[in-house]
Amino acid sequence: MPTPSLPPLSPQRHKELRNRHPLYKRLSGESVWVFLEELGLDEAQCELFMDAFFRQMDHILACMDALESDPRQAARITGSAEACCTACAACTGRRLLPDSDPAYGDLLPPFGIGCPLLLQLEDAGTTPQRDDVSALPHARRPLQEEHSVLCAGLAADPQGGLERFLEALRELPSAAAPA
């Protein structure tokens, strides 16, 4: 099932959210490209990766905006555990609840360049009640504990990591120009 499109953000809101995301605030498009070249990817592969990377960023930032617009809104970290390193695979399925965890922003995927994890906003009917939140596993931030800025799966196998990343993000809508 394709991932639904979220409304585009204004350039100012996009920048504000990007500067608060644990990974995105550390990167520029140029720095990501340099990492990819150092892994041995050619120009066409770098372009494919960058298109997917920016679609992923737009999606994550739009989810952040939705979470911050309604603190009762919940999101789930999604992705194929098989496409992730061990640290990220342990985060799949975790819920982020800004109303219950003010530090939720530190737990947002992706956790490294090439990390194929996403956020999926939950429908109001599937959002756990406040009493149920304490029973949920608490997400932790693998970037700080187990990752460098580059996803271990991509670093270990650039060609396979690129394919896994592109496959994980293929259903994301194309990047829309900010409003």
Side-chain angles (χ1 to χ4, degrees), residues 21 24 56-64 109-110 117-119:
H21 187 281
Y24 297 140
Q56 180 187 36
M57 179 190 300
D58 289 344
H59 174 79
I60 296 293
L61 297 180
C63 287
M64 284 175 69
L117 296 181
L118 293 168
L119 283 178

Side-chain angles (χ1 to χ4, degrees), residues 20-39:
R20 288 192 287 125
H21 187 281
L23 177 66
Y24 297 140
K25 69 182 177 186
R26 301 171 61 196
L27 301 172
S28 68
E30 184 178 343
S31 65
V32 174
W33 188 281
V34 169
F35 274 111
L36 300 174
E37 285 182 329
E38 288 180 3
L39 289 174

Side-chain angles (χ1 to χ4, degrees), residues 147-164:
H147 272 170
S148 69
V149 73
L150 187 62
C151 174
L154 181 63
D157 177 15
Q159 298 300 323
L162 172 64
E163 291 304 315
R164 286 188 299 276

Side-chain angles (χ1 to χ4, degrees), residues 30-99:
E30 184 178 343
S31 65
V32 174
W33 188 281
V34 169
F35 274 111
L36 300 174
E37 285 182 329
E38 288 180 3
L39 289 174
L41 298 180
D42 63 32
E43 185 174 344
Q45 292 171 317
C46 290
E47 287 175 6
L48 283 172
F49 183 95
M50 294 302 294
D51 177 57
F53 179 82
F54 287 122
R55 284 186 293 126
Q56 180 187 36
M57 179 190 300
D58 289 344
H59 174 79
I60 296 293
L61 297 180
C63 287
M64 284 175 69
D65 185 60
L67 288 167
E68 292 178 10
S69 296
D70 180 3
R72 295 168 296 158
Q73 173 73 56
R76 187 176 295 275
I77 298 174
T78 62
S80 169
E82 296 80 34
C84 299
C85 68
T86 305
C88 287
C91 292
T92 59
R94 302 285 172 93
R95 281 189 169 119
L96 299 179
L97 301 152
D99 194 33

Side-chain angles (χ1 to χ4, degrees), residues 1 17 42 55 120 125 148 171:
M1 178 171 92
L17 292 168
D42 63 32
R55 284 186 293 126
Q120 181 176 359
S148 69
E171 292 186 6

